[in-house]
Amino acid sequence: DQQVKQNSPSLSVQEGRISILNCDYTNSMFDYFLWYKKYPAEGPTFLISISSIKDKNEDGRFTVFLNKSAKHLSLHIVPSQPGDSAVYFCAASSDRGSTLGRLYFGRGTQLTVWP
Amino acid sequence: GAVVSQHPSRVICKSGTSVKIECRSLDFQATTMFWYRQFPKQSLMLMATSNEGSKATYEQGVEKDKFLINHASLTLSTLTVTSAHPEDSSFYICSAEGGMQPQHFGDGTRLSIL
């Protein structure tokens, strides 16, 4: 049972425009959300995260929005660059305390940014 | 730079061989390490969670006698695939966390069993 869903397996965006990657979750106990970026044959790299007490977190070109009532989050990349082309994984956690604990991942969205 | 180092990056071996994969946290103490497996075009599937000094907790459907996990120190965890068979061929990724840091991942190990 997939508790974190990324319904778009791929997204193609022109350089300079905004990329919007979406993620939905079903478990209302999730209280921390992360986005990871992954290149082929490499491990995922942490991008940005958001706690459930916030609805927006921004870091440079990356902004994550959280809509708890809809159990939906999105990652905005603006402006998009060709180097952003990768698979983006949404992940969620429900463990608090000193560590984040187990992460539940979506299937990923392949982002392609073309010149 | 990398905060989690995983070795080897690629292994090709014969069926029946046991393979050990190492995962090291480089500049922080990893109280918990995780082992994931990824099939092509699939999500990362958690195999097991290991806490330093204690036995690993395996996810349902993961054979603990097949995938041996040792987390002997705060900077090292190992996954040993025992008597590997072609169906064990996959991409294995470890991650580590400590304190309030988000999980950092190793670069993964591509395991190919002939």
Side-chain angles (χ1 to χ4, degrees), chain B residues 38-76:
Chain B
Q38 186 184 23
F39 294 100
K41 298 184 181 181
Q42 299 261 352
S43 176
L44 292 168
M45 302 302 296
L46 180 66
M47 298 174 65
T49 302
S50 74
N51 293 297
E52 185 264 341
S54 61
K55 289 185 178 181
T57 302
Y58 290 80
E59 294 301 303
Q60 191 173 9
V62 178
E63 300 175 58
K64 58 183 67 177
D65 294 331
K66 175 77 170 175
F67 299 100
L68 300 178
I69 291 171
N70 184 278
H71 190 167
S73 76
L74 284 170
T75 59
L76 174 65

Side-chain angles (χ1 to χ4, degrees), chain A residues 2 34 36 38 41-44 46 89 97-103 105-107, chain B residues 31 34 36 38 42-44 46 59 91 93 97 99-103 105-107:
Chain A
Q2 196 80 13
L34 307 91
Y36 285 86
K38 185 181 181 302
E42 293 185 11
F46 170 73
F89 286 98
S98 60
T99 64
L100 293 176
R102 175 186 177 154
L103 292 178
F105 285 88
R107 291 184 184 272
Chain B
T31 50
F34 303 84
Y36 294 85
Q38 186 184 23
Q42 299 261 352
S43 176
L44 292 168
L46 180 66
E59 294 301 303
F91 192 56
I93 305 176
E97 65 175 25
M100 287 302 291
Q101 289 210 26
Q103 282 186 36
F105 287 79
D107 275 344

Side-chain angles (χ1 to χ4, degrees), chain A residues 8-105:
Chain A
S8 298
S10 64
L11 175 68
S12 182
V13 171
Q14 187 175 24
E15 181 179 8
R17 294 188 178 268
I18 186 171
S19 296
I20 300 176
L21 298 111
N22 293 304
C23 178
D24 298 291
Y25 61 96
T26 58
N27 190 339
S28 58
M29 297 301 291
F30 288 148
D31 53 15
Y32 199 82
F33 304 89
L34 307 91
W35 284 93
Y36 285 86
K37 175 181 179 180
K38 185 181 181 302
Y39 294 112
E42 293 185 11
T45 302
F46 170 73
L47 263 181
I48 192 169
S49 63
I50 188 167
S51 164
S52 60
I53 62 174
K54 294 185 174 181
D55 55 16
K56 176 183 175 181
N57 189 26
E58 192 172 354
D59 184 2
R61 296 186 297 115
F62 303 91
T63 303
V64 56
F65 295 91
L66 175 63
N67 182 334
K68 283 182 293 183
S69 60
K71 294 191 179 67
H72 177 85
L73 63 154
S74 61
L75 174 68
H76 292 213
I77 306 173
V78 56
S80 301
Q81 299 173 355
D84 295 329
S85 297
V87 176
Y88 288 78
F89 286 98
C90 170
S93 171
S94 60
D95 292 339
R96 300 306 292 167
S98 60
T99 64
L100 293 176
R102 175 186 177 154
L103 292 178
Y104 294 80
F105 285 88

